[in-house]
């Protein structure tokens, strides 16, 4: 298995633009998580899905952030409009029976 | 206030030496405590996972201990190697919130030759 796959690996955009981050979880895993990591705040859970259904989105910072999981093998995290303070590394992780496996992350820079 | 505090923030040690990283938490009760290793530019990788009833767990040169009474955990690295240079993150999960996790801000370890 290739592990959790995220794309793009790096994204540079201008303030106000829409950004879409993509994640393919490990096949067979029934939970998927989106995290944001910054130097100041460390890792923060944004949202997680169980069997493609959003369970807890209390970590989503504001309405500009949205996440979808249309099927068991794909999820997106969208930021619209993006702001400079959204600059961070965004990780996707999937799990089965509690153990989480993280993807390589997407480094987002909003200018 | 962060419910998981790690110390030190950063640490530099010589190759071959041992070191111990600390994690203090206030999450109570909790289901399990994890230690992750995060190499620069990569996602975290699980090192150990302990339930509240366990007090030690080893993974090669890594040994995690847990004292549920004092709400402290430590990660001991034996005979450090250059490849141990990474951030180490402590994560605590309460039992009632599904997959809710509380993350420490990590300890940055640098092993020098």
């Amino acid at each position: 298995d290739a592990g959790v796959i995220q794309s793009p690996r790096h994204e540079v955009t201008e303030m106000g633009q829409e950004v879409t981050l993509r994640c393919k979880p490990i096949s067979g895993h029934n939970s998927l998580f989106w995290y944001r990591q910054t130097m100041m705040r460390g890792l923060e859970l944004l949202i997680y899905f169980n069997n493609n259904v959003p369970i807890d989105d209390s970590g989503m910072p504001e309405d500009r952030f949205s996440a979808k999981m249309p099927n068991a093998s794909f999820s997106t995290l969208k930021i619209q409009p993006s702001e400079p303070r959204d600059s961070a590394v965004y990780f996707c992780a999937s799990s089965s029976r509690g153990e989480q496996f993280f993807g390589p992350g997407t480094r987002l820079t909003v200018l | 206030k962060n419910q998981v505090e790690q110390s030190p923030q950063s640490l530099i040690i010589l190759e071959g030496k041992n070191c111990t990283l600390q994690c203090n938490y206030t999450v109570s009760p909790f289901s399990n405590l994890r230690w992750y290793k995060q190499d620069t530019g990569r996602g975290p990788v699980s090192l150990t996972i302990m339930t509240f009833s366990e007090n030690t767990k080893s993974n090669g040169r890594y040994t995690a201990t847990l004292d549920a009474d004092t709400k402290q955990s430590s990660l001991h690295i034996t005979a450090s190697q250059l490849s141990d240079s990474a951030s180490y993150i402590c994560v605590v999960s309460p039992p009632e919130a599904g997959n809710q996790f509380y993350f420490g801000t990590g300890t940055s370890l640098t092993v020098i030759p």
Side-chain angles (χ1 to χ4, degrees):
Chain A
D1 198 315
V4 176
I5 299 173
Q6 291 186 248
S7 64
R9 292 296 309 277
H10 302 273
E11 176 81 32
V12 180
T13 190
E14 292 186 340
M15 182 174 65
Q17 296 298 306
E18 177 180 297
V19 175
T20 299
L21 311 181
R22 298 172 176 79
C23 175
K24 177 177 171 31
I26 293 173
S27 176
H29 284 189
N30 58 355
S31 295
L32 183 141
F33 307 79
W34 282 102
Y35 293 92
R36 177 173 66 178
Q37 186 176 42
T38 62
M39 288 290 291
M40 290 296 295
R41 301 172 66 94
L43 266 169
E44 301 173 281
L45 177 65
L46 300 177
I47 184 173
Y48 78 89
F49 296 83
N50 206 34
N51 294 322
N52 311 340
V53 177
I55 302 300
D56 183 357
D57 65 354
S58 59
M60 296 285 262
E62 46 198 275
D63 292 345
R64 296 184 298 106
F65 286 68
S66 63
K68 294 181 180 179
M69 192 166 185
N71 57 63
S73 59
F74 184 67
S75 177
T76 59
L77 177 67
K78 185 176 295 186
I79 308 173
Q80 166 63 20
S82 59
E83 297 181 2
R85 59 192 169 120
D86 300 331
S87 297
V89 180
Y90 291 81
F91 287 103
C92 175
S94 68
S95 77
S96 178
R97 303 174 191 169
E99 184 62 62
Q100 288 197 16
F101 295 84
F102 284 77
T106 294
R107 180 173 294 278
L108 173 65
T109 302
V110 183
L111 303 174
Chain B
K1 181 175 169 23
N2 196 350
Q3 299 202 47
V4 181
E5 301 281 352
Q6 291 188 244
S7 63
Q9 276 192 322
S10 61
L11 182 62
I12 300 174
I13 62 172
L14 290 174
E15 185 180 10
K17 297 297 186 182
N18 303 335
C19 68
T20 300
L21 314 180
Q22 299 290 345
C23 173
N24 296 340
Y25 60 91
T26 58
V27 181
S28 183
F30 76 95
S31 175
N32 56 65
L33 185 148
R34 296 172 166 86
W35 282 94
Y36 284 90
K37 177 187 179 189
Q38 184 175 19
D39 292 315
T40 301
R42 307 189 72 157
V45 175
S46 179
L47 290 176
T48 63
I49 177 170
M50 290 182 289
T51 66
F52 65 90
S53 60
E54 296 177 293
N55 55 27
T56 188
K57 185 68 70 77
S58 290
N59 179 1
R61 295 180 296 103
Y62 300 101
T63 299
T65 62
L66 174 62
D67 186 332
D69 291 331
T70 62
K71 296 185 175 57
Q72 294 180 328
S73 176
S74 64
L75 180 69
H76 187 73
I77 303 174
T78 304
S80 61
Q81 300 177 359
L82 298 179
S83 59
D84 293 331
S85 296
S87 287
Y88 292 84
I89 303 171
C90 175
V91 184
V92 180
S93 305
E96 78 285 357
N99 285 297
Q100 179 67 42
F101 297 92
Y102 294 92
F103 288 83
T105 53
T107 293
S108 177
L109 174 66
T110 303
V111 181
I112 58 176

